[in-house]
Amino acid sequence: MQPEAVTLFEGDFLGQALDLGNFYLQKGCEGEIIEPIEACEKLYVVADGKVVAVINDYSNLSAYVEKVDSAAQAESFVRLLTSLETFHLFDRDRIEIDCRFVDRDQEPIYAQIARDDADRLGLHPVGIIQSDTGYQIKRCLYVWASRSDHPQLHEVTEIVGSGGSYTRIADRLVTDEDTRIITLPVYE
């Protein structure tokens, strides 16, 4: 990658909860900046002010994470690619957005589902179990696959190793009929 071809956006540092050693993550655009900015935005690994790599998926991210030694870091790791602020940064045929459980009347700031609807579907808030080798995370994702004509709700189980490795070990379709229960924020 030619660093001069990438424009890094000031102040857009991500993954600060992760142990990245001498690296940091920053949003930017390669080539011409277009509107809307999300159409060209990507997530870059930067060291000493120079672009080192672009993050496309968890395997790219794993190469730069030195260690994951807390449940909070493991959760930050998996949410980095699925938050409302970052899901658009990755070239995928399957968009995945982290889904949080809230009280029914709460104004949407995440992709969210009311707790009573989550209970009805047998879903639970994020669960993290620590082991000798890392963390197992079970969470809910709002998914839109390019081959599908409507969104789905999935429950996934992921392993984040203490050295930054990543594996998805389960992906269960919860519903593709009742996704109106997912509330997304509206941006103006």
Side-chain angles (χ1 to χ4, degrees):
M1 173 177 306
Q2 297 295 322
E4 58 272 7
V6 174
T7 302
L8 296 173
F9 302 139
E10 294 297 321
D12 277 336
F13 301 106
L14 298 171
Q16 294 177 347
L18 300 175
D19 184 350
L20 300 169
N22 294 326
F23 301 105
Y24 58 94
L25 303 175
Q26 193 169 359
K27 288 182 186 178
C29 280
E30 186 174 0
E32 182 180 348
I33 298 174
I34 59 174
E35 294 290 333
I37 198 76
E38 292 82 5
C40 70
E41 229 175 7
K42 293 195 180 295
L43 184 59
Y44 295 96
V45 177
V46 181
D48 297 324
K50 294 184 172 43
V51 172
V52 175
V54 62
I55 299 296
N56 293 315
D57 57 31
Y58 288 110
S59 64
N60 295 119
L61 179 59
S62 292
Y64 297 96
V65 174
E66 290 197 358
K67 65 182 175 185
V68 177
D69 58 8
S70 73
Q73 282 184 324
E75 189 174 4
S76 292
F77 183 99
V78 297
R79 284 194 167 153
L80 184 63
L81 276 66
T82 60
S83 75
L84 280 176
E85 295 81 22
T86 60
F87 79 90
H88 68 278
L89 299 172
F90 309 100
D91 296 326
R92 299 189 197 163
D93 289 330
R94 175 177 154 131
I95 294 171
E96 298 180 342
I97 302 173
D98 190 55
C99 191
R100 313 252 179 126
F101 301 172
V102 297
D103 294 328
R104 184 163 295 283
D105 297 331
Q106 185 172 328
E107 189 67 31
I109 55 173
Y110 305 106
Q112 55 198 42
I113 183 171
R115 285 186 180 91
D116 56 339
D117 286 329
D119 289 344
R120 180 176 53 80
L121 293 170
L123 294 170
H124 306 283
V126 172
I128 303 174
I129 301 169
Q130 184 176 1
S131 71
D132 292 340
T133 59
Y135 299 86
Q136 177 177 304
I137 302 168
K138 185 179 261 188
R139 64 190 181 126
C140 184
L141 293 175
Y142 178 79
V143 176
W144 194 296
S146 61
R147 63 188 178 280
S148 176
D149 58 355
H150 58 278
Q152 302 171 335
L153 189 60
H154 287 242
E155 183 178 66
V156 297
T157 304
E158 302 155 302
I159 303 287
V160 177
S162 56
S165 61
Y166 171 84
T167 306
R168 181 170 291 175
I169 60 171
D171 187 337
R172 178 178 71 91
L173 173 64
V174 174
T175 183
D176 60 357
E177 303 287 326
D178 199 11
T179 55
R180 293 180 315 277
I181 62 174
I182 305 296
T183 307
L184 296 167
V186 176
Y187 300 103
E188 296 182 23

